[in-house]
């Protein structure tokens, strides 16, 4: 498979996977400890959605690795740092995603099993654990930096890639703040991120060496 082909596939797969995260994620009212909340957190949808979120971020690494090789032929070097920051940021963010998947689900299952919805209060403790929050925030900030670097790299490339890179750059920059929004904002961001990935995939030039 050529470098261009697997780069395009990685971008499209990353965008679709990250979009499936908010689309599949259950969105119960988290302000009150209810059986509905516990059931949502203990569901398979909770696990699958977050796994897609991790996959979406992880696939950016091979996508940007291919983009770096393609842009290098045009003498554009900013993609190297975009790759490094994406790889590091996605790795740190994935640690928090893992805690959310299995830690929150375990707490919710215990609440349902014991009939004690008060256990759901431990979910906020898990989410706000200092090390977890620090690593997650650092990872998402690095993804924001990667978004800027991707935008710069594509802006220096040909005109078609220049404009295609803007939605992806914005999507990466907004990964952190969108977590503070509701379902509608989160899903809208998922569509923006996916559209950015697809546009870059389509705009990627077809002439490059075989990997």
């Amino acid at each position: 498979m050529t470098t261009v082909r697997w780069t395009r596939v990685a971008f499209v797969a990353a965008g679709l996977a990250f979009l499936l995260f908010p689309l599949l994620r259950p969105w119960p009212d988290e302000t009150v400890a209810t059986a509905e909340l516990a059931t949502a957190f203990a569901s398979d949808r909770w696990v699958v959605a977050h796994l897609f979120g991790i996959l979406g971020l992880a696939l950016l690494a091979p996508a940007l690795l291919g983009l770096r090789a393609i842009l290098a032929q045009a003498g554009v070097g900013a993609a190297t740092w975009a790759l490094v920051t994406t790889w590091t940021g996605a790795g740190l963010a994935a640690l928090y995603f893992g805690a959310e998947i299995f830690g929150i689900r375990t707490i919710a299952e215990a609440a349902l099993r014991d009939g004690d919805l008060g256990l759901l209060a431990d979910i906020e403790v898990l989410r706000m654990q200092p090390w977890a929050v620090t690593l997650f925030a650092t990872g998402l900030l690095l993804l924001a930096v990667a978004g800027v670097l991707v935008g710069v790299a594509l802006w220096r490339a040909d005109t078609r890639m220049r404009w295609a890179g803007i939605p992806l750059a914005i999507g990466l920059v907004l990964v952190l703040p969108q977590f503070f929004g509701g379902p509608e904002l989160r899903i809208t961001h998922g569509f923006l991120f996916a559209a950015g990935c697809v546009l870059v995939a389509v705009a990627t030039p077809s002439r490059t060496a075989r990997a």
Side-chain angles (χ1 to χ4, degrees), residues 83-127:
L83 172 64
V84 172
T85 51
T86 298
W87 219 313
T88 306
L92 293 176
L95 295 174
Y96 191 88
F97 269 91
E100 280 234 323
I101 294 173
F102 303 112
I104 291 177
R105 189 184 195 190
T106 299
I107 293 171
E109 287 175 337
L112 292 173
R113 182 180 63 248
D114 300 341
D116 182 6
L117 295 178
L119 293 174
L120 296 178
D122 289 337
I123 290 175
E124 192 65 15
V125 176
L126 184 151
R127 281 175 163 168

Side-chain angles (χ1 to χ4, degrees), residues 7-206:
T7 299
R8 287 173 172 168
V9 169
F11 268 117
V12 172
L16 292 179
F18 196 82
L19 173 59
L20 286 173
F21 170 38
L23 286 179
L24 294 179
R25 183 195 190 280
W27 295 103
D29 181 1
E30 298 188 23
T31 61
V32 183
T34 62
E36 179 187 4
L37 177 62
T39 300
F41 283 157
S43 67
D44 290 336
R45 278 185 62 191
W46 178 262
V47 174
V48 173
H50 281 75
L51 287 176
F52 272 118
I54 293 174
L55 179 62
L57 293 177
L59 285 172
L60 284 176
L64 288 176
L65 182 63
L67 184 64
R68 172 182 175 273
I70 293 166
L71 293 182
Q73 296 184 356
V76 178
T80 298
W81 286 108
L83 172 64
V84 172
T85 51
T86 298
W87 219 313
T88 306
L92 293 176
L95 295 174
Y96 191 88
F97 269 91
E100 280 234 323
I101 294 173
F102 303 112
I104 291 177
R105 189 184 195 190
T106 299
I107 293 171
E109 287 175 337
L112 292 173
R113 182 180 63 248
D114 300 341
D116 182 6
L117 295 178
L119 293 174
L120 296 178
D122 289 337
I123 290 175
E124 192 65 15
V125 176
L126 184 151
R127 281 175 163 168
M128 300 308 295
Q129 201 280 334
W131 273 103
V133 170
T134 300
L135 290 175
F136 189 54
T138 301
L140 297 186
L141 286 172
L142 286 172
L143 288 175
V145 172
V148 174
L149 293 173
V150 167
V152 170
L154 293 177
W155 192 260
R156 293 174 178 173
D158 63 62
T159 304
R160 186 172 62 170
M161 295 195 75
R162 173 181 300 175
W163 295 108
I166 292 177
L168 177 59
I170 295 174
L172 284 168
V173 169
L174 294 180
V175 170
L176 175 56
Q178 61 92 26
F179 275 103
F180 296 97
E184 296 81 7
L185 179 61
R186 300 278 298 274
I187 292 171
T188 300
H189 176 264
F191 276 107
L192 172 64
F193 190 96
C197 288
V198 172
L199 285 173
V200 171
V202 171
T204 300
S206 59

